[in-house]
């Protein structure tokens, strides 16, 4: 009989210092590797990272991981504040590749574990400046525009008739906020000329 070994690592955030570490169900004993972030001082890690970054010392892969985990480690500050402090550090990393990697890792963890809206918005802004973030934001915006235009055209064709190509083409070039305005007003349009004030 062939046995398959499965290794599991469970990471607990800074608020948790003790948890059940083994499950014994008789035939099966489940004992994952437990990592308690409460054993790591986010404040000390922050100071160490801050010294390296502000002195332009090269960062290691471990440094990148520690930076993205700062909001989840034990700290005298809230997760939101530690997220903001971590974001601030990333803005001073000189190596663009490492900077983007840290922001992208931080984004993954914060989106899952941090509820502070101010911190999330700051991180979203930083993330949108990375190569991957910019690509995702642009792709999302494009998809959102396509969905809104489709809905506008459906309403116009139902209430007025076939939409002239000049209006279709003009809407493609409109920013998302203008399309949103049209989508909110379109049910009251009596003619295609009602679109003109949005196309200026």
């Amino acid at each position: 009989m062939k046995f398959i070994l499965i290794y599991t690592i469970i990471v607990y955030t800074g608020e948790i210092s003790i948890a059940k570490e083994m499950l014994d169900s008789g035939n099966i004993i489940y004992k994952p590797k437990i990592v308690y972030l409460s054993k790591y001082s986010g404040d000390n890690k922050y100071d160490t990272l801050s010294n390296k970054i502000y002195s332009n010392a090269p960062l290691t892969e471990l440094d990148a991981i520690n930076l993205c985990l700062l909001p989840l480690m034990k700290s005298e500050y809230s997760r939101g504040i530690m997220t903001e402090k971590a974001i601030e550090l990333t803005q001073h990393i000189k190596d663009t590749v490492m900077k983007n990697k840290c922001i992208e890792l931080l984004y993954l963890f914060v989106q899952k574990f941090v509820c502070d809206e101010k911190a999330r918005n700051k991180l979203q802004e930083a993330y949108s400046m990375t190569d991957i973030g910019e690509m995702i934001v642009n792709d999302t915006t494009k998809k959102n525009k396509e969905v809104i235009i489709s809905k506008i055209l459906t309403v116009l064709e139902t209430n007025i008739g076939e939409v002239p190509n000049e209006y279709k083409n003009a809407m493609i070039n409109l920013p998302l906020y203008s399309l949103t305005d049209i989508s909110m007003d379109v049910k009251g349009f009596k003619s295609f000329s009602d679109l003109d004030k949005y196309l200026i």
Side-chain angles (χ1 to χ4, degrees):
M1 181 183 291
K2 192 180 244 185
F3 292 94
I4 299 176
L5 294 177
I6 300 176
Y7 295 95
T8 306
I9 299 176
I10 298 177
V11 179
Y12 287 101
T13 56
E15 299 85 355
I16 300 172
S17 58
I18 187 169
K20 192 171 184 178
E21 299 188 2
M22 186 178 74
L23 176 63
D24 187 348
S25 62
N27 294 330
I28 299 175
I29 296 177
Y30 177 59
K31 190 175 181 180
K33 170 69 175 176
I34 303 296
V35 177
Y36 292 104
L37 292 182
S38 59
K39 294 181 179 180
Y40 300 88
S41 169
D43 302 324
N44 289 344
K45 292 288 185 185
Y46 172 83
D47 290 339
T48 300
L49 289 166
S50 181
N51 289 334
K52 290 190 74 171
I53 290 171
Y54 285 108
S55 64
N56 295 327
L59 298 181
T60 65
E61 296 293 324
L62 181 58
D63 289 329
I65 293 172
N66 282 330
L67 194 153
C68 79
L69 289 176
L70 279 179
L72 306 182
M73 294 179 182
K74 186 175 182 179
S75 172
E76 64 178 275
Y77 300 102
S78 68
R79 287 188 187 183
I81 291 176
M82 287 304 288
T83 298
E84 292 184 43
K85 288 164 74 74
I87 295 168
E88 178 64 24
L89 285 182
T90 65
Q91 301 309 299
H92 296 279
I93 298 174
K94 300 300 183 184
D95 183 334
T96 303
V97 174
M98 179 58 76
K99 175 180 179 178
N100 287 346
K101 178 182 291 186
C102 289
I103 293 174
E104 287 158 10
L105 283 172
L106 188 60
Y107 182 82
L108 290 175
F109 281 91
V110 167
Q111 288 298 308
K112 185 73 174 175
F113 298 107
V114 179
C115 298
D116 187 287
E117 203 60 36
K118 181 183 175 184
R120 287 166 69 99
N121 288 338
K122 278 191 175 183
L123 183 56
Q124 178 68 50
E125 183 179 343
Y127 180 67
S128 66
M129 301 300 288
T130 67
D131 293 337
I132 293 178
E134 184 178 14
M135 179 180 66
I136 291 174
V137 169
N138 289 341
D139 187 53
T140 301
T141 300
K142 181 180 177 182
K143 288 179 179 177
N144 287 342
K145 287 179 66 173
E146 290 173 352
V147 169
I148 294 174
I149 289 173
S150 176
K151 290 180 178 179
I152 292 171
L153 292 177
T154 298
V155 174
L156 288 173
E157 289 170 358
T158 300
N159 295 346
I160 303 174
E162 179 65 28
V163 181
N165 286 332
E166 61 185 279
Y167 285 109
K168 292 181 181 178
N169 294 334
M171 279 192 283
I172 291 174
N173 296 320
L174 286 177
L176 186 59
Y177 65 84
S178 294
L179 291 172
T180 301
D181 289 342
I182 294 174
S183 69
M184 294 174 66
D185 300 337
V186 67
K187 289 184 179 179
F189 289 178
K190 303 300 181 183
S191 67
F192 294 120
S193 61
D194 289 331
L195 281 167
D196 292 342
K197 66 178 180 179
Y198 302 92
L199 305 180
I200 298 173

